[in-house]
Structure formats: structure tokens, C-alpha cells
Amino acid sequence: MKGRTDIVLGVQWGDEGKGRVVDVLAARAGIVVRYQGGANAGHTVVVGDEKYVFHLLPSGILYPGKVCLIGNGVVLDPDTLFEEIDGLTARGKKLARLVISHGTHIVMPYHKQLDKLAEAARSAGTKIGTTGRGIGPCYTDKFERIGIRAEDLANPSVLKEKLTIAINLKNEILTKIYGEKPLDFNEIYTKALKWGERIKPMLGDSFLEINKAVNAGENVLFEGAQATLLDIDHGTYPFVTSSSPCAGGACTGAGVGPGRIDRVVGVVKAYCTRVGEGPFPTEDKSDLGNMLRTNGGEFGATTGRPRRCGWCDLVAVDYAVKVNGLDGLALTKLDVLTGFDEISVCTSYKVDGETRKTFPSSCADLAKAKPVYEKLKGWKEDISKCRKFEDLPKAAQDYVKYIEEYAGVPVLLIGVGAGRDDTIMRGI
């Protein structure tokens, strides 16, 4: 029997509800793989009356008997990881088996320090809006080939050699550019050794685990962090993350060939949000935007920052469909739109007086883009108890169908509430 390999990724600027979608699909998967990003992501899962926020743990961790894998494309903050594991254990939760790829890079204390210093040094208008969790500097070291990998933490002599080189370089930057005190090698080395003692039993080969599961006919679920419009190559550069949340990032960040991927599902919120700096054509700064923020609980799971809110941008959705080769969409937070007399959807942009139906490759053009809206009828009925598409009010059904028609792919799942069971399944 052949298993299914699915990638679940964000279509917009993150915070679409990927965690809850992965949690629903994980019930049928043997392995759940987090393939990129770091502790700057926050995936929220609600089970019954309990809420969980995962920054590093794959969203399938609450399924005992399954395997959760942190791929080589992730940058791992051990302190955050252990805090998450210990927090779940303290709540009496039985967890899936966790495997960390040998090649996963480690966020070191100096990465966080440099991240904050660099952001503070940027002038107004050039700030990225980083979370300050060391993600960018860690990826920088990875590509500069001076990074510390998970396997190094379990090898004291290799760790000492690599850490000596890294700290000497970082001290040059800290002392001569930022005027900071030099790092204490022994303090960081001792801390890293303690990390290694705990991580060592979790180390494994991600590509072997994945291929073994696929060959055994198990379903494998790849979980992306952040989203398409934050992709380092295909997002709104430079206001992007430091990795590749797009579908291709799952292959490189987990160790699986593209030919082994069966389906790519994009998660899209029924409206649109963004955290941090960067262009956001449909942002609404009026009371309407505040209403979306309040009704949707739009505050960052990682930072607590209020999210910028606005109407759904179908030009951006269409772009994500094409860039990722999406086979379908998971539409979340449809219930948040309940109560609006009228719902707007962006179907094109005005850029320097020209109408454009395609997403600009230039961030400068996107910053000038003015949304052109179509108006759809809203609904007043409570949809939180709907479990079939036909149970939705006609106006809500029409909204979903409008998105499907514009995007050219089916909506396979609809979220009508925060909980695991608050879901309408449509062939997913």
C-alpha cells in the first residue's frame, strides 16, 4: 500500500493557522516533519479546552506512537525546544517520538545577541521586524560554513574546534563594530555540552526516516513555518524570513526528492494579516481592521505583537498557487468573517495607474500597489458548529467558491473555529 506525502505551507505572510491544519492531518500520518525556520514561528493547536503553542516541535507531537522529525533545514534553539518538551510533560502529555536531524543547525547565544544589535542599528524605514531570536545570524553562519550543527553538540572535540573559530569571529564583530564585551568561550562551551547530552539520544537521519516511512506505505506530512510571501527567494524581499517556506524548501530541508511529493496544500486565512515591516496592499488601518484583529485574536503566538489586518488578497493567493504548485487550499478562520454585511476580496492591483492581476516581483512595485476590491455578501449566522459544506450559509459557501474559482484549485478544508474538531473536510 502506498502512503501519501503531503506538504502543508502558508500562502500569505504567516499566521494562517498551519498548526491546526497539520494537527488535523497528523492523525493519518506516520511522520510529521518540520522542514525549515526556527523558534520565530508559532503554531497554535487547540485540543478540547487546551491550547498549545509550538515554536519548534512539529504540530503532530501530541500524537503518541507517531514520529516527529526536525529536519536539517530548521535552525534549532535547544533552550526553547527543551522548554516546550518539559512544558508538555508537566501537563501529563504523552508525546510522539522526536528525531532531530544530525544536520540541523543550532542557534547559539551570540546569534540572538547579534540579531538584536543589527536590528537596533538599522535606521527607520530599513528595519526588518525580526523577532530577535537569532534566526538570520544562524542561517548566515550555515551558509558561511561556520555553523554549529546538532551532531556537533554530541562530539566535544569537534564542538570545541568549531566553537573556537566561531567565537573568535563573533568577538571581532561584537567588540570592534558594536563596542560590546567579548564572549566567554568557556561559558558557551559548557552550555553547549549540556545541550548535547540531552539532544544526543534524539539524533537521527531525516532522509532515512522519511524514506523508510514512504516505503512502508505510511503517510508523511511536511510542515512549513512562516509562509510563501516571507520566502527568502520568492517573498517580499528584504522583509522576509531567512529560509524557504515554499514547497521546494521541504525537499531540501527534510531530505526528500520532489518526485516523492504527492500533494501540496496551501493554508490561507479567510482574511489577511502580516506581522512586522514590509508592504501589505490590503492592510486596513480603520475600525474594520481593528475588528478583524479583535475577532480573530490576531496577536503573535511567538512575540505577542498585534498583527496588521486586512481583507483577503487573491492576487497573492494566485501567486502562491503558482510558485508552490498547490493542489488545494485549506481555508482557516472563516468564522471570523461572521457578522460582516459585506466582505471585500482583492482581485487586482493598481500600480502607477496600471491595473495588474499578477503579483509584482518587485517589492518597490508592491509597496505602491493599491487594492481593487470585489464586494461579496456577508452572513450573520454562527457557523462554528458546521461540519459539512452544505451546512454553511449560502453567502459563506459563495465566498469559498469565489476563492476556488479565482485560485483555480479546490478548498479541501475549512476551519470554522479554533479547535481540532471545528473543521469541514472536503476531500483532504
Side-chain angles (χ1 to χ4, degrees):
M1 186 178 81
K2 184 182 183 300
R4 176 185 289 278
T5 53
D6 286 338
I7 299 174
V8 174
L9 53 83
V11 165
Q12 297 154 318
W13 280 284
D15 308 310
E16 300 95 345
K18 296 180 292 297
R20 66 81 47 86
V21 174
V22 170
D23 177 66
V24 169
L25 298 183
R28 294 181 247 159
I31 293 184
V32 180
V33 186
R34 169 77 181 274
Y35 61 83
Q36 48 73 228
N40 56 338
H43 291 179
T44 302
V45 173
V46 178
V47 183
D49 295 329
E50 295 192 84
K51 178 180 177 180
Y52 307 87
V53 178
F54 304 127
H55 300 285
L56 283 168
L57 288 172
S59 297
I61 196 69
L62 295 175
Y63 287 97
K66 300 185 184 295
V67 177
C68 279
L69 197 153
I70 295 177
N72 53 277
V74 174
V75 289
L76 180 70
D77 181 342
D79 285 338
T80 299
L81 177 71
F82 300 151
E83 182 180 330
E84 289 188 27
I85 293 173
D86 293 343
L88 292 173
T89 302
R91 293 167 73 169
K93 302 300 173 183
K94 293 183 179 180
L95 309 179
R97 179 168 69 92
L98 181 64
V99 177
I100 299 172
S101 172
H102 287 101
T104 303
H105 276 250
I106 301 300
V107 176
M108 302 299 291
Y110 46 78
H111 290 138
K112 297 178 185 179
Q113 184 179 2
L114 288 167
D115 199 0
K116 293 172 183 175
L117 287 169
E119 181 74 351
R122 294 185 179 102
S123 59
T126 65
K127 293 185 182 295
I128 303 299
T130 173
T131 60
R133 292 178 177 254
I135 308 303
C138 186
Y139 277 116
T140 298
D141 280 5
K142 175 178 181 175
F143 289 101
E144 199 174 344
R145 289 160 291 185
I146 58 169
I148 307 297
R149 308 204 316 174
E151 62 180 353
D152 300 329
L153 299 180
N155 190 326
S157 60
V158 171
L159 176 64
K160 187 173 186 178
E161 179 181 352
K162 287 190 171 184
L163 197 57
T164 298
I165 294 171
I167 286 183
N168 284 341
L169 287 171
K170 303 309 175 189
N171 277 340
E172 287 287 300
I173 297 171
L174 287 170
T175 59
K176 294 182 179 179
I177 295 179
Y178 292 113
E180 297 286 320
K181 294 179 180 178
L183 301 165
D184 185 320
F185 173 86
N186 289 327
E187 179 182 338
I188 296 176
Y189 181 59
T190 300
K191 184 180 185 69
L193 286 176
K194 290 181 179 178
W195 287 341
E197 291 174 3
R198 189 165 180 183
I199 279 180
K200 187 174 182 179
M202 305 178 196
L203 294 176
D205 293 312
S206 59
F207 73 95
L208 287 178
E209 293 275 356
I210 293 167
N211 279 276
K212 179 182 175 182
V214 172
N215 292 336
E218 295 183 16
N219 293 338
V220 180
L221 188 58
F222 298 90
E223 176 184 17
Q226 288 88 38
T228 301
L229 301 182
L230 294 175
D231 188 276
I232 186 68
D233 289 302
H234 304 291
T236 52
Y237 190 90
F239 305 102
V240 293
T241 193
S242 304
S243 58
S244 297
C246 284
C251 298
T252 57
V256 61
R260 306 203 80 169
I261 302 300
D262 294 315
R263 183 171 61 174
V264 185
V265 178
V267 185
V268 57
K269 202 179 301 190
Y271 49 101
C272 204
T273 63
R274 179 166 196 169
V275 172
E277 306 298 325
F280 180 6
T282 65
E283 181 176 12
D284 192 303
K285 298 181 180 180
S286 71
D287 290 342
L288 188 147
N290 291 330
M291 188 183 302
L292 287 172
R293 184 180 302 110
T294 300
N295 293 352
E298 297 298 346
F299 299 89
T302 299
T303 63
R305 289 185 291 184
R307 296 172 184 145
R308 300 156 64 190
C309 297
W311 294 117
C312 185
D313 185 341
L314 291 182
V315 181
V317 171
D318 175 70
Y319 173 72
V321 169
K322 291 178 170 61
V323 167
N324 294 292
L326 295 184
D327 298 295
L329 297 171
L331 181 67
T332 61
K333 290 198 170 185
L334 185 62
D335 54 301
V336 175
L337 296 184
T338 297
F340 287 95
D341 294 323
E342 197 173 60
I343 296 171
S344 298
V345 285
C346 174
T347 57
S348 62
Y349 300 145
K350 283 283 189 181
V351 181
D352 292 331
E354 177 188 354
T355 299
R356 300 183 56 167
K357 285 186 172 292
T358 56
F359 194 78
S361 58
S362 163
C363 192
D365 283 349
L366 187 66
K368 295 185 290 185
K370 304 298 181 184
V372 178
Y373 290 115
E374 291 289 330
K375 305 289 186 179
L376 302 180
K377 185 179 178 181
W379 62 91
K380 303 290 185 179
E381 299 93 330
D382 178 10
I383 66 172
S384 63
K385 303 301 180 185
C386 295
R387 296 297 177 267
K388 296 179 180 179
F389 184 69
E390 296 75 19
D391 296 337
L392 292 171
K394 183 180 184 303
Q397 293 184 36
D398 289 344
Y399 183 67
V400 175
K401 291 176 182 177
Y402 192 93
I403 292 173
E404 287 181 316
E405 183 177 351
Y406 192 100
V409 294
V411 171
L412 303 172
L413 178 152
I414 302 171
V416 293
R420 178 183 281 175
D421 298 326
D422 300 332
T423 306
I424 296 173
M425 308 291 272
R426 301 179 74 215
I428 199 165

